[in-house]
């Protein structure tokens, strides 16, 4: 499995502590909160830090499952759930099925029963969900090309909706922009 996140406690990388082979792509620590990283130092994982986009994509393409485990950011405005994120769409665009904890505010829009499993925020549930996806990949129940093409199709539809809604607003206010 692969997880791509910043090293903040609310990203909950520690929930993947029971996953057999884990690649952690650690983004920059813009908050400069070195204590956030403490909980991950003892995990059995491979670590990539501050790498190029090409290396990130190559890492996804050599992985089997993407993990999205983030939770509350600390302000508690969204309960225990974090909203949208970049990594989940990156995973799907690379054809990776996703194991995610419950979210609120965006990423769940892209998930369905075929491309993801929503699990409880604990180590056992994450491990079990990863194992289920691995088994489905091995026996051909999940096809990575299908995940990618469905993601692109859904993104194209969302782009079209955005363009049409923007045109309506521009027309309403007599803004002449294509």
């Amino acid at each position: 499995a692969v997880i791509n996140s910043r090293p903040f406690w609310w990203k909950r990388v520690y929930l993947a502590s029971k996953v057999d082979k884990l690649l952690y792509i650690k983004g920059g620590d813009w908050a400069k909160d070195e204590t956030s990283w403490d909980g991950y130092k003892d995990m059995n994982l491979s670590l990539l830090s501050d790498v190029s986009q090409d290396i990130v994509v190559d890492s996804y393409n050599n992985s089997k499952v993407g993990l999205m485990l983030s939770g509350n950011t600390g302000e508690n405005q969204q309960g225990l759930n974090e909203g949208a994120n970049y990594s989940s769409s990156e995973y799907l665009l690379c054809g990776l099925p996703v194991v995610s904890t419950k979210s609120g505010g965006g990423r769940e829009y892209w998930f369905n029963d075929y491309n993801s499993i929503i699990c409880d925020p604990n180590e056992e549930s994450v491990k079990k969900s990863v194992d289920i996806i691995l088994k489905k990949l091995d026996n051909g129940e999940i096809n990575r090309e299908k995940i990618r093409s469905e993601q692109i199709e859904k993104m194209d539809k969302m782009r079209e909706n955005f363009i049409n809604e923007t045109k309506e607003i521009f027309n309403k206010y007599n803004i002449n922009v294509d």
Side-chain angles (χ1 to χ4, degrees):
V2 63
I3 187 165
N4 185 353
S5 76
R6 299 201 184 272
F8 305 136
W9 62 270
W10 69 82
K11 297 298 185 178
R12 303 192 300 196
V13 174
Y14 60 86
L15 292 177
S17 65
K18 295 188 178 190
V19 173
D20 294 330
K21 294 181 182 176
L22 179 66
L23 173 62
Y24 179 22
I25 302 172
K26 181 173 78 75
D29 183 0
W30 53 261
K32 305 297 181 222
D33 179 12
E34 291 300 320
T35 61
S36 319
W37 175 240
D38 289 345
Y40 309 123
K41 288 182 180 173
D42 295 328
M43 286 181 59
N44 181 22
L45 51 78
S46 299
L47 178 66
L48 291 176
S49 186
D50 301 319
V51 294
S52 71
Q53 182 177 351
D54 289 341
I55 291 174
V56 171
V57 171
D58 203 40
S59 297
Y60 291 165
N61 288 334
N62 287 297
S63 298
K64 293 186 178 182
V65 182
L67 301 179
M68 198 46 44
L69 307 174
S70 52
N72 184 303
T73 59
E75 294 83 27
N76 203 26
Q77 294 177 358
Q78 71 275 30
L80 295 176
N81 312 314
E82 188 179 16
N85 56 64
Y86 298 112
S87 297
S88 59
S89 287
E90 290 176 350
Y91 296 155
L92 296 171
L93 284 170
C94 287
L96 283 176
V98 178
V99 169
S100 176
T101 52
K102 186 177 175 187
S103 64
R107 73 181 181 234
E108 70 280 0
Y109 173 79
W110 305 101
F111 298 155
N112 58 46
D113 291 338
Y114 185 79
N115 68 17
S116 61
I117 294 177
I118 308 301
C119 69
D120 292 328
N122 64 64
E123 292 88 347
E124 292 77 21
S125 185
V126 171
K127 167 79 168 127
K128 180 180 176 184
S129 299
V130 168
D131 289 345
I132 289 169
I133 286 182
L134 291 174
K135 185 176 180 180
K136 286 183 175 186
L137 282 166
D138 285 345
N139 68 23
E141 288 180 60
I142 297 177
N143 178 286
R144 290 182 65 157
E145 285 79 25
K146 180 178 178 182
I147 290 173
R148 176 177 164 71
S149 65
E150 287 180 352
Q151 177 70 3
I152 291 170
E153 185 178 317
K154 200 165 195 179
M155 290 174 79
D156 286 345
K157 183 178 190 256
M158 291 302 295
R159 181 180 295 117
E160 183 179 331
N161 289 346
F162 173 77
I163 290 169
N164 291 336
E165 292 291 326
T166 303
K167 281 181 183 178
E168 284 186 34
I169 294 168
F170 285 1
N171 288 338
K172 179 178 177 180
Y173 293 98
N174 295 316
I175 299 170
N176 189 16
V177 176
D178 183 4

